[in-house]
């Protein structure tokens, strides 16, 4: 580290204003008031019809470990000049509250709470930055990966992005998120080790360049590696690369497992078709064609339309950096706070943009599933004490354009939140990543195809119950009255 402070912790992985607000609350004696915040995004990324939630594992790691170290406190004192009495308080700060969260792999839509944080006002404030930092990135990458999987269908996808990711953490957690979104393997070996996901890879041009000969390079590689994918585009794909791969595969026969070839430049449609023909003619009908080179779901769709003969897609830069939309805009909003009498009071943030007005109150989130066809009718946000499963029929209506409505009967309302932290203790065990991937896949099966197409998907309903909507209107009215009183004073 390039500073005098020897240790590090994630307690300072927050925006300075959070600590300043904590200090204000602490000085006024309201830091321990109960507060409820919700974490959600408003707009789906990439113009997609859904997102895939990822990030809970790291959020839980963060909350479990959260505390200010001695050098954190020293830094706040020496460099930022916080006073001793406040620093004494910070020394004992831990996360002591409850966290309700969607499970990773859940399909998620705009304006619905991914997480509900119920803790002290000061703690809730401190953790905002880290929670958004984690969930925004991981959810974005899981969603991008899922879009790629929608396009490649049953072909295999390998995540190749570590070298282009925004630093090392992004490579690791991005690889995991990509697997949650559906990719089969990552080239990042550490991610393989940490998360029990498949680490996999071929070889680079440097291997061929080092031997100055594809023939020698492939042979040398095969001496130590049974599974062989030969990269065939270093000099001339069709004239030298593919014929050499075939020659070496024939020479080595059953002593290797000739998985196939990789193309990394040129016209992928043309080269893959030609390579397929050459491999088939040589009797390697089962050999796979792996391709890479700046791929994303748009190029892949186009290549498929051109009849490209590809079995395995290696995707780096555009997946791990979410190239076409580099940020998800999830926010963290206060929806309820303890009043002076100890009772919880709902809070609202008004905006001239109707979509941006927050929805006050402690709430629950349900996925309404039609019992007959097993498909999701939409998501339904209720006040905490409502139980849609006790109703025969519910009215679902658009929260802004309320005339768009439907009645739903014969449904199951699935609670999408799980209590994962209770009184500061993590009570949820994160499943293995491959199980989360399966969970994500099963969840997508609940959605009609209209929501899953990559271009101009239908808008999935995320509606408020009548009570929840009435409560929102009441809060809006109260604010309007307060503003009018202020103006008239
Ligand atoms: N048939 C095709 N149709 C549409 N896009 C293609 C086709 N073949 C390749 N591409 C894409 O076009 C781009 C080609 O980029 P570029 O011309 O920079 O690479 P290249 O010619 O393969 O050379 P290199 O990677 O060695 O720089 C890549 O994004 C690749 O995925
Ligand atoms: O193209 P991406 O989706 O990012 O996938 C990762 C790329 O990384 C390697 O290339 P390398 O770093 O050698 O650079 P290159 O782009 O010049 O091939 C590999 O050959 C892929 O092309
Ligand atoms: O294994 C590969 O082929 C690979 C790994 C990282 C980046 N590009 C390719």
């Amino acid at each position: 580290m390039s500073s005098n402070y020897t240790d590090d912790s994630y307690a300072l992985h927050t925006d300075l204003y959070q600590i300043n607000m904590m200090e204000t609350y602490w000085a006024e004696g309201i830091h321990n008031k109960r507060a409820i915040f919700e974490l959600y995004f408003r707009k789906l990324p990439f113009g997609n019809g859904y997102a895939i939630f990822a990030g809970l594992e790291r959020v839980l790691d963060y909350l479990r470990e959260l505390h200010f170290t001695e050098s954190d406190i020293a830094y706040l004192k020496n460099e930022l000049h916080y006073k001793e009495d406040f620093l004494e308080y910070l020394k004992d700060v831990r996360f002591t509250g409850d966290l309700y969260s969607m499970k990773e792999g859940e399909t998620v839509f705009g304006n619905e709470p991914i997480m509900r944080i119920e803790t002290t006002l000061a703690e809730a404030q401190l953790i905002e930055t880290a929670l958004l930092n984690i969930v925004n990135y991981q959810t974005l990458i899981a969603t991008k990966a899922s879009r790629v999987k929608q396009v490649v269908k049953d072909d295999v996808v390998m995540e190749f992005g570590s070298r282009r990711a925004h630093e090392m953490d992004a490579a690791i957690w991005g690889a995991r998120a990509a697997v949650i979104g559906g990719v089969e393997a990552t080239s990042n070996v550490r991610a393989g080790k940490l998360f029990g996901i498949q680490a996999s890879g071929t070889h680079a041009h440097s291997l061929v360049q080092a031997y100055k000969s594809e023939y020698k390079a492939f042979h040398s590689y095969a001496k130590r590696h049974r599974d062989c994918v030969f990269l065939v585009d270093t000099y001339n794909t069709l004239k030298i690369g593919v014929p050499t791969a075939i020659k070496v595969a024939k020479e080595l026969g059953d002593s290797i497992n000739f998985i196939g070839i990789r193309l990394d430049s040129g016209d992928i449609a043309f080269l893959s078709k030609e390579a397929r023909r050459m491999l088939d003619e040589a009797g390697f009908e089962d050999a796979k064609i792996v391709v890479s080179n700046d791929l994303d779901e748009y190029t892949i769709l186009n290549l498929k339309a051109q009849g490209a003969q590809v079995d395995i897609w290696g995707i780096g830069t555009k997946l791990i950096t979410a190239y076409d939309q580099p940020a998800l805009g999830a926010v963290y909003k206060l929806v309820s706070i303890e009043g002076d009498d100890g009772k919880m009071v709902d809070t609202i943030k008004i905006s001239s943009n109707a979509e941006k007005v927050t929805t006050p109150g402690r709430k629950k989130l349900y996925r309404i599933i039609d019992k007959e066809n097993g498909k999701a009718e939409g998501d339904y946000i209720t006040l905490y004490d409502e139980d849609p499963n006790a109703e025969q029929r519910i009215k679902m209506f658009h929260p802004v354009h309320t005339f768009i409505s439907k009645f739903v009967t014969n449904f199951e309302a699935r609670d999408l939140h799980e209590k994962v932290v209770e009184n500061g203790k993590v009570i949820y065990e994160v499943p293995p990543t491959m199980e989360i991937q399966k969970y994500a896949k099963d969840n997508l099966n609940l959605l009609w195809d209209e929501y899953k197409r990559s271009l101009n998907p239908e808008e999935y309903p995320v509606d408020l119950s009548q009570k929840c909507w009435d409560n929102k209107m009441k809060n809006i009215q109260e604010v309007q009255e307060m503003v009018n009183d202020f103006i008239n004073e």
Side-chain angles (χ1 to χ4, degrees), residues 14 17-18 37 123-133 332:
T14 191
Y17 80 165
Q18 312 286 12
F37 281 78
E123 288 168 23
Q125 210 76 72
L126 176 66
I127 66 176
E128 167 178 350
T129 310
L131 262 54
L132 287 173
N133 188 187
Y332 183 88

Side-chain angles (χ1 to χ4, degrees), residues 206-218 220-221 235:
S206 49
L207 182 93
V208 176
Q209 290 170 267
Y211 286 93
K212 287 198 162 70
S213 145
E214 278 163 332
Y215 183 75
K216 283 187 195 156
F218 297 168
S220 305
Y221 186 85
Y235 303 127

Side-chain angles (χ1 to χ4, degrees), residues 244-263:
T244 307
I246 289 171
K247 187 167 183 234
V248 173
K250 279 189 174 163
E251 285 171 4
L252 295 176
D254 287 342
S255 69
I256 62 163
N257 176 20
F258 176 53
I259 293 177
I261 59 163
R262 176 161 76 99
L263 305 171

Side-chain angles (χ1 to χ4, degrees), residues 334-346:
L334 181 65
V335 294
S336 190
I337 186 160
E338 188 182 338
D340 292 338
D341 58 359
K343 291 204 184 105
M344 297 302 286
V345 184
D346 294 349

Side-chain angles (χ1 to χ4, degrees), residues 158-163 187 200-204 262 264 290 292 316:
M158 290 160 75
E159 186 280 310
F160 279 174
S162 288
R163 63 193 58 206
S187 62
S200 188
T202 70
H203 68 81
R262 176 161 76 99
D264 187 46
V290 185
S292 50

Side-chain angles (χ1 to χ4, degrees), residues 5-6 32 57 65 124 170 179 188 212 353 471 488:
Y5 298 98
T6 47
N32 283 332
E57 174 161 350
E65 298 298 324
V179 169
N188 190 300
K212 287 198 162 70
N353 177 350
N471 185 51
N488 295 332

Side-chain angles (χ1 to χ4, degrees), residues 160 163-164 205 262 264 292-295 314-318:
F160 279 174
R163 63 193 58 206
R164 305 274 152 64
H205 298 111
R262 176 161 76 99
D264 187 46
S292 50
N293 191 12
D294 260 332
L295 294 170
I315 312 186
T317 313
K318 289 184 173 167

Side-chain angles (χ1 to χ4, degrees), residues 44-52 107-109 143-153 181 297 301 374-376 440-460:
L44 284 158
F46 319 113
N48 210 42
Y50 64 88
I52 304 279
T107 37
V108 49
F109 304 89
T143 307
K144 184 74 176 167
S146 182
R147 275 174 70 75
V148 169
K149 277 306 283 186
Q150 292 296 334
V151 168
V152 304
K153 303 224 157 40
E297 67 274 34
L301 200 58
K375 294 289 183 194
K441 202 170 163 194
D442 292 346
N443 275 322
L444 280 178
N445 285 335
L446 292 176
L447 295 189
W448 294 107
D449 286 346
E450 288 71 17
Y451 302 121
K452 290 190 278 194
R453 62 179 179 239
S454 55
L455 186 67
N456 300 326
E458 287 292 324
E459 189 184 333
Y460 180 87

